Amino acid sequence: MRSRTPTFLSVLLTAGLALPAQQAQSRPEPERTATTLTVNAPAGELLAAVSISYGQAVWRASHDAALQNPSGNYMRLGIGWWTTFDTVGPIDLGGVRIEAGSYFLGLQMGNDRTFHLLVFDSQKTMRARVLPASTPLYRGDVQPTVRVPMEFAQGSLPEVVGKLQIELGADRADAQKGTLAIRWGKHELSAPLRLLPEPKAEAGKAK
């Protein structure tokens, strides 16, 4: 009968193939903040909502030089964890339709110095184990779900915005409209936002 006792050789080989110890890190993100736009019915029922959570990167004068050298594929938006973008209901942002769901955001500056907001599907991005500073993003291996054109107003702000500001602004004249603005340094990116009403189910239609 064959012995089930490990031989000296098998024990030696197993010991030599020991995996390195895992490492875990935990750190706070005190500079993280959020902006939210909601639309409610007169009775208080939530009709639509859009929210962006992000880390407030600090502006440095040296960043102006980056505007002269476009990176091409991808630029980080914020610091720390992904800048998250959640929408309850579909929206039109800068002429591009974005379906209800959860997304991650980045930026792209083309060689002609035009900007696009990069919108990544959060589930696909997490399944691919892609973090906001991952090399495949800069190489262009990871493609966004949509690209939203942003209007770039260089040097348009009267004072330097020291920490990244992202604002979802409401249109007081039309509750279905708003604006997404990104301000950093003395520069601003913006795009019009429109909430798209969901089609109502026909009466008596089987679900």
Side-chain angles (χ1 to χ4, degrees):
M1 183 176 179
R2 187 174 180 179
S3 173
R4 295 185 179 180
T5 303
T7 65
F8 173 77
L9 179 59
S10 66
V11 172
L12 183 64
L13 289 173
T14 302
L17 294 176
L19 295 175
Q22 294 182 343
Q23 295 182 350
Q25 294 181 343
S26 176
R27 59 180 181 272
E29 292 195 40
E31 300 300 329
R32 197 163 184 87
T33 187
T35 177
T36 302
L37 172 66
T38 60
V39 177
N40 297 83
E45 177 189 1
L46 178 67
L47 299 179
V50 182
S51 185
I52 299 175
S53 174
Y54 63 101
Q56 291 185 286
V58 175
W59 174 262
R60 293 180 175 82
S62 59
H63 292 332
D64 276 318
L67 296 175
Q68 310 303 322
N69 299 287
S71 59
N73 292 320
Y74 167 83
M75 298 168 60
R76 289 197 65 177
L77 180 59
I79 57 173
W81 185 246
W82 279 103
T83 291
T84 61
F85 179 90
D86 303 305
T87 173
V88 179
I91 66 171
D92 180 294
L93 184 60
V96 178
R97 182 184 175 97
I98 301 176
E99 301 295 341
S102 296
Y103 303 90
F104 295 144
L105 298 181
L107 282 175
Q108 180 184 42
M109 182 172 68
N111 294 331
D112 55 356
R113 298 176 71 190
T114 57
F115 279 85
H116 286 80
L117 186 72
L118 305 180
V119 183
F120 299 90
D121 182 283
S122 63
Q123 288 192 3
K124 292 180 180 179
T125 306
M126 288 295 90
R127 288 171 182 167
R129 298 177 181 269
V130 177
L131 295 179
S134 298
T135 300
L137 287 163
Y138 294 95
R139 288 199 308 249
D141 299 341
V142 179
Q143 294 297 312
T145 303
V146 296
R147 289 178 171 84
V148 177
M150 302 288 289
E151 181 179 344
F152 179 42
Q154 184 174 4
S156 62
L157 302 179
E159 296 182 357
V160 173
V161 176
K163 292 183 179 180
L164 177 68
Q165 292 181 1
I166 302 178
E167 180 184 10
L168 289 166
D171 186 330
R172 297 185 181 277
D174 188 340
Q176 299 294 316
K177 295 182 179 180
T179 304
L180 169 61
I182 301 173
R183 305 182 186 98
W184 205 32
K186 299 191 72 172
H187 316 298
E188 182 178 52
L189 293 167
S190 62
L193 184 152
R194 183 164 57 93
L195 303 170
L196 302 177
E198 296 275 19
K200 295 182 179 180
E202 296 179 11
K205 186 176 181 179
K207 296 182 179 180

